[in-house]
């Protein structure tokens, strides 16, 4: 009994069978998940997957249609005021007044949340220091760089010492170095005890930052877990091969004990293996050679979050180059 | 003590004083109306009226004085109708999501915007009065110092109530609109009938029946009646027409404005309650 209470205590966000439609279009189609106190939880999915709709319901900007959702112990429909008092938000687009100064942006937020004057003053100084904007205190926000604006918004989100900080695509449009620095800030904030709910369509971001990830696609959660758990579902290693008779090769290799699954590609195929790939590879090559099949290309690698994503959603996120192409990418005609 | 509306007010006033060109032009514009339109019109109207005999002992006012009240009202109308535009900017590019996601009651947004608009209108009304007197309008002519103070308070009370009503309307339109162009279009469309179907620039007696009815219930006419009472007096002749206002006329005008403002508040309250900005 007491353990039950404790578990409930730990679930700072609880969502059950949440559904939301815009006209005919089901943006969120019956999702359920919990976020534990103190963790960084990510929604990973392509644009239009339903991430922002879900977040907008949780932050009470969008009225809930179906299902249950509570944040910090308060129902988003019954106690929206309490939810609002408990959270901080960094919106997807920059939401700053170009002509207000850094200090004014934070002061405005503090006043909006009815913080006492002394506390506002103290908190603003603390936060400007945290996000290293002390020197920009009296600068108008239009003169800040993209990364500085984001840092200012994170500081604003933290003004009221929220229990949960919602970050909707926090690093969208930032250069790689700035993104990396943002991750450090986010981790730092999390280390101070703030639970973080993050949405992103960057695989590496979700992988690097999150304690747990839910991959969301077309309004549904396709899989949830810790980053390594998700990657392990694809097996320990991935082996990409091209041979002179792919069909025969696949037929043979499918039956090997360590091969979990085979994905067919345009020119070759990928073996998902349960054991250490370096040990499996010789067996694979021997098997093919004995059957008289010639191998022209071999590549061995660990599954990445990109591979996980492609495997579970059947598509690649294309709009932002991540530097490395997903191993399991399905090319047109390769399905 | 919730201070939500003072926060909105504080922030809107920061913008008001920060945009120097906007600040200067909004203060200069009413003065220019009075200087150019006022002087041009009064020189020809007063010449036309010069031949018309006036009963002895009557208080006759020149056109500049007559239309000065109209210019105060017009400036208040324009400023207030466009006062909600900050809401639209916030909705599209600014702070509206932050504000709507905060625990602050949404009525505070409406009141904050209203209060800052009223402040701007007060400043403009005072500038017009001072400038009008400088260029020869007979404002407060023959008033005792006490009458002048009562007059100024009365004018500001009328201007404030009227401004509040149109700011609420402007806020309601702005929160429902997608683009600044849309807001501009709607407000321009509204300005025309409100301004010209009123007694701002000319008496309404010669209006055709339907226009006359429109002008009687026009908040603009109610405001101008109030301003003329407090700036000229209860009994005067202008453009050859004899104007007489009783205290109950003025009270009714003010009550009319209060009803209008209350209705506009309900409209704004409803639009803000429905507002979804994501």
């Amino acid at each position: 009994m007491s353990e039950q209470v404790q578990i409930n205590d730990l679930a700072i966000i609880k969502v059950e069978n949440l559904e939301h439609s815009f006209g005919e279009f089901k943006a969120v189609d019956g999702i359920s998940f919990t976020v534990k106190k103190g963790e960084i939880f990510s929604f990973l999915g392509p644009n239009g997957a339903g991430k922002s709709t879900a977040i907008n319901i949780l932050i009470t900007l969008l009225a809930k249609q179906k299902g249950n959702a509570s944040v910090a112990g308060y129902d988003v429909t019954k106690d929206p005021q309490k939810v609002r008092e408990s959270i901080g938000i960094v919106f997807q687009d920059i939401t700053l007044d170009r002509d207000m100064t850094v200090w004014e942006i934070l002061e405005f937020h503090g006043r909006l949340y009815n913080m006492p004057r002394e506390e506002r003053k103290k908190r603003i100084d603390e936060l400007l220091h945290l996000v290293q904007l002390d020197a920009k205190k009296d600068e108008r926000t239009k003169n800040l760089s993209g990364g500085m604006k984001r840092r200012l918004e994170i500081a604003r989100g933290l003004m009221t010492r929220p229990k949960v900080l919602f970050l909707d695509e926090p690093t969208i449009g930032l250069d790689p170095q700035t993104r990396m620095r943002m991750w450090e800030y986010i981790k730092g904030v999390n280390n101070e005890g703030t639970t973080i709910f993050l949405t992103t369509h960057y695989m590496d971001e979700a992988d690097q930052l999150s304690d747990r990830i839910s991959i969301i696609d077309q309004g549904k959660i396709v899989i949830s877990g810790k980053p390594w758990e998700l990657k392990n579902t694809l097996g320990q290693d991935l082996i990409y091969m091209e041979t002179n008779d792919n069909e025969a090769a696949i037929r043979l290799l499918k039956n090997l004990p360590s091969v979990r699954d085979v994905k067919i590609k345009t020119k070759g195929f990928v073996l998902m293996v349960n054991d250490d790939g370096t040990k499996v590879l010789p067996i694979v090559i021997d098997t093919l050679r004995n059957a008289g099949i010639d191998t022209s290309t071999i590549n061995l690698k660990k599954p990445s979050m990109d591979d996980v994503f492609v495997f579970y959603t059947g598509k690649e996120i294309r709009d932002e180059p991540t530097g490395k192409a997903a191993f399991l990418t399905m090319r047109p005609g390769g399905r | 003590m919730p201070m939500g509306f003072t926060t909105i007010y504080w922030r809107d006033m920061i913008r008001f004083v920060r945009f120097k060109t906007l600040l200067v032009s909004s203060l200069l514009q009413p003065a220019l109306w009075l200087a150019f339109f006022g002087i041009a019109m009064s020189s020809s109207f007063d010449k036309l009226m010069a031949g018309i005999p006036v009963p002895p002992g009557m208080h006759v006012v020149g056109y500049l004085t007559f239309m000065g009240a109209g210019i105060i009202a017009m400036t208040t109308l324009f400023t207030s109708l466009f006062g909600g535009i900050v809401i639209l900017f916030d909705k599209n590019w600014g702070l509206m999501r932050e504000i709507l996601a905060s625990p602050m009651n949404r009525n505070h947004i409406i009141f904050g915007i209203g209060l800052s608009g009223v402040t701007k209108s007060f400043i403009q009304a005072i500038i017009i009065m001072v400038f009008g007197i400088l260029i020869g309008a007979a404002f407060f002519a023959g008033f005792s110092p006490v009458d002048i103070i009562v007059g100024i308070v009365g004018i500001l009370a009328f201007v404030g109530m009227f401004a509040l009503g149109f700011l609420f309307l402007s806020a309601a339109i702005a929160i429902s609109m997608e683009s600044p162009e849309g807001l501009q279009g709607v407000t321009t469309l509204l300005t025309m009938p409100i301004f010209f179907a009123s007694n701002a620039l000319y008496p309404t007696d010669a209006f055709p029946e339907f226009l006359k009815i429109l002008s009687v219930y026009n908040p603009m006419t109610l405001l101008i009646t109030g301003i003329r009472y407090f700036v000229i007096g209860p009994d005067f002749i202008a453009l050859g027409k004899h104007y007489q206002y009783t205290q109950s006329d003025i009270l009714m005008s003010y009550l009319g404005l209060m009803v209008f403002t209350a209705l506009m508040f309900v409209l704004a309250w409803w639009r803000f309650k429905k507002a979804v900005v994501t």
Side-chain angles (χ1 to χ4, degrees), chain A residues 56 61-62 81 84-85 89 93 95-97 99-100 104 107-109 111 113-114 120 140 156, chain B residues 1-3 7 10-11 14-15 18-19 93-95 97-104 276-278:
Chain A
N56 281 330
L61 271 184
L62 206 57
Q81 290 298 106
R84 289 170 186 178
E85 284 165 15
I89 310 162
D93 313 307
T95 52
L96 298 172
D97 185 327
D99 291 289
M100 281 164 84
E104 284 164 354
E107 170 74 5
F108 178 76
H109 193 78
R111 287 188 183 205
Y113 283 72
N114 247 329
R120 283 199 312 258
R140 294 203 202 170
R156 180 174 68 184
Chain B
M1 164 68 183
M3 51 181 183
T7 303
W10 168 73
R11 186 268 179 140
I14 286 181
R15 291 176 61 92
R18 188 152 291 165
F19 298 128
W93 302 287
L95 307 179
R97 266 183 291 179
E98 177 197 1
I99 296 170
L100 292 183
S102 80
M104 190 185 70
V276 176
V277 179
T278 58

Side-chain angles (χ1 to χ4, degrees), chain B residues 40-110:
Chain B
M41 291 297 277
S42 67
S43 55
S44 44
F45 271 133
D46 289 347
K47 202 172 279 170
L48 278 170
M49 292 299 146
I52 296 170
V54 178
M58 288 301 295
H59 177 35
V60 182
V61 296
Y63 186 68
L64 189 65
T65 312
F66 177 80
M67 64 101 59
I71 296 295
I72 293 177
M74 181 197 77
T75 309
T76 309
L77 175 71
F78 287 0
T79 304
S80 305
L81 262 182
F82 284 99
I85 200 155
V86 63
I87 289 173
L88 193 60
F89 275 102
D90 271 345
K91 196 175 134 179
N92 288 348
W93 302 287
L95 307 179
M96 193 48 75
R97 266 183 291 179
E98 177 197 1
I99 296 170
L100 292 183
S102 80
M104 190 185 70
N105 188 311
R106 291 183 179 189
N107 288 342
H108 284 285
I109 308 171
I110 308 172

Side-chain angles (χ1 to χ4, degrees), chain B residues 19-29:
Chain B
F19 298 128
K20 293 284 181 278
T21 37
L22 193 66
L23 179 70
V24 172
S25 68
S26 75
L27 300 182
L28 217 55
Q29 187 219 14

Side-chain angles (χ1 to χ4, degrees), chain A residues 139-259:
Chain A
E139 195 72 58
R140 294 203 202 170
T141 65
K142 65 177 167 196
N143 299 327
L144 301 180
S145 69
M148 288 176 182
K149 283 182 190 160
R150 267 309 193 202
R151 266 145 57 195
L152 174 57
E153 290 191 314
I154 289 179
R156 180 174 68 184
L158 291 170
M159 245 329 252
T160 55
R161 300 177 194 279
K163 296 197 180 88
V164 188
L165 181 63
F166 287 88
L167 299 166
D168 197 358
E169 306 264 4
T171 65
I172 200 165
L174 298 180
D175 63 72
Q177 285 97 325
T178 314
R179 287 181 59 209
M180 231 94 95
R181 232 176 298 138
M182 292 305 303
W183 294 351
E184 291 311 311
Y185 287 117
I186 294 169
K187 279 182 192 162
V189 166
N190 178 246
N191 284 340
E192 305 271 300
T194 311
T195 307
I196 293 186
F197 185 105
L198 178 91
T199 75
T200 184
H201 66 258
Y202 294 110
M203 310 293 161
D204 51 343
E205 185 161 288
D207 196 3
Q208 288 276 322
L209 279 176
S210 322
D211 295 309
R212 286 190 307 131
I213 297 174
S214 280
I215 293 182
I216 180 166
D217 190 35
Q218 295 179 347
K220 288 191 159 87
I221 291 179
V222 285
I223 189 166
S224 299
K226 298 193 165 89
W228 61 266
E229 287 174 344
L230 296 186
K231 285 183 270 188
N232 273 4
T233 59
L234 298 195
Q236 266 201 35
D237 282 305
L238 301 174
I239 302 170
Y240 175 72
M241 313 190 79
E242 289 173 16
T243 66
N244 61 353
D245 188 351
N246 287 338
E247 271 182 44
I250 290 167
R251 234 177 295 127
L252 274 171
L253 297 173
K254 249 203 315 225
N255 299 323
L256 288 179
S258 46
V259 172

